[in-house]
Amino acid sequence: AVVSTQSTGVIFVSVDVSNGPLFQLISASVLNFTFLIVIVSDFSLGRSVEHMRGAAVSIHINDPILRYSITLSRISSAFQFLCDNFYLFSKLGLIRLDQDNLSSISSKCWLYADLLNLIRVCYEIRHELYEQIGRQESNLKYSDHNLYSTFRCVMARRPDLFLDLVKNATDIWLPVHASGLTKLSPGTVGFCGTVSSVLGVAAVWQKSRRL
């Protein structure tokens, strides 16, 4: 629509885009973005429920170190994903919450889960080392052994322990950085995230690599 004002000689141009292709494109983009957030939110909520169900199972493990480290790690992960859900809902404007506080709580839960996972994998490596030393001492051929060779034997027999150790050792720096406990360069954060993701995919791809 064109409106002319003869007294000033100024011409105002008004364009109705409510039914135009640009408006449709923008609307579709907004809807797709909202749909993507809803999918991610549902996925996070499902992961939260999955971890809580896993905690209800691991609480019955006989070994106390494994029982508490695995159970608390799963509970921490469940709260992490729950906070992520509330963060997304807040981003969508569905609820009013402090987004910075939610992000901080999520990072701390992520950090606690990684610390507990490291405790668990180190405990299992220690247990495997003692068993390997006992087997070597009972075999005269391996009477002359050292800790390094014993560790190599354990890692060769249990590659899932080695991958989980490296994964958690690199992954733990991400929540440390996100929590503001230390500042890492973008390259370091990217490297740690890449290594953790690749090892996570390897564990899913091959069940023998999954702890």
Side-chain angles (χ1 to χ4, degrees), residues 186-199:
T188 303
V189 173
F191 173 77
C192 292
T194 301
V195 172
S196 177
S197 299
V198 169
L199 294 179

Side-chain angles (χ1 to χ4, degrees), residues 38-86:
V38 171
I39 291 178
V40 173
S41 177
D42 289 341
F43 175 74
S44 298
L45 186 59
R47 291 291 301 273
S48 180
V49 174
E50 178 186 349
H51 281 292
M52 290 303 296
R53 291 180 61 184
V57 174
S58 59
I59 195 64
H60 300 291
I61 297 177
N62 293 328
D63 190 300
I65 302 297
L66 294 179
R67 178 169 66 247
Y68 290 116
S69 61
I70 295 176
T71 301
L72 293 176
S73 172
R74 288 174 174 173
I75 292 175
S76 296
S77 296
F79 276 106
Q80 175 198 346
F81 287 113
L82 189 62
C83 288
D84 290 342
N85 272 279
F86 285 123

Side-chain angles (χ1 to χ4, degrees), residues 17-207:
V17 298
S18 59
N19 294 319
L22 179 61
F23 178 80
Q24 294 177 1
L25 178 61
I26 295 174
S27 299
S29 300
V30 172
L31 288 175
N32 289 335
F33 179 71
T34 305
F35 181 68
L36 179 61
I37 291 180
V38 171
I39 291 178
V40 173
S41 177
D42 289 341
F43 175 74
S44 298
L45 186 59
R47 291 291 301 273
S48 180
V49 174
E50 178 186 349
H51 281 292
M52 290 303 296
R53 291 180 61 184
V57 174
S58 59
I59 195 64
H60 300 291
I61 297 177
N62 293 328
D63 190 300
I65 302 297
L66 294 179
R67 178 169 66 247
Y68 290 116
S69 61
I70 295 176
T71 301
L72 293 176
S73 172
R74 288 174 174 173
I75 292 175
S76 296
S77 296
F79 276 106
Q80 175 198 346
F81 287 113
L82 189 62
C83 288
D84 290 342
N85 272 279
F86 285 123
Y87 182 85
L88 289 174
F89 291 153
S90 180
K91 277 289 186 181
L92 287 173
L94 301 178
I95 55 177
R96 291 181 176 272
L97 292 173
D98 188 344
Q99 296 179 9
D100 293 336
N101 191 32
L102 285 173
S103 179
S104 176
I105 295 175
S106 177
S107 298
K108 290 178 180 177
C109 290
W110 185 8
L111 177 59
Y112 296 152
D114 282 345
L115 282 173
L116 291 164
N117 287 334
L118 274 177
I119 292 174
R120 171 185 53 84
V121 71
C122 290
Y123 174 77
E124 293 200 46
I125 290 175
R126 174 182 174 274
H127 177 72
E128 292 289 336
L129 285 174
Y130 275 113
E131 286 193 349
Q132 181 66 23
I133 291 173
R135 283 191 291 266
Q136 290 178 351
E137 288 179 346
S138 63
N139 190 343
L140 296 178
K141 184 173 64 174
Y142 294 103
S143 58
D144 185 19
H145 63 270
N146 55 58
L147 184 60
Y148 176 71
S149 62
T150 303
F151 182 78
R152 287 183 59 187
C153 291
V154 170
M155 293 299 101
R157 192 177 72 255
R158 293 289 307 275
D160 54 330
L161 288 176
F162 177 72
L163 290 181
D164 201 63
L165 176 65
V166 176
K167 177 183 179 299
N168 286 290
T170 53
D171 190 61
I172 197 172
W173 291 104
L174 301 178
V176 167
H177 173 76
S179 300
L181 299 177
T182 186
K183 292 297 181 182
L184 302 175
S185 65
T188 303
V189 173
F191 173 77
C192 292
T194 301
V195 172
S196 177
S197 299
V198 169
L199 294 179
V201 171
V204 173
W205 189 263
Q206 294 185 349
K207 293 184 177 180

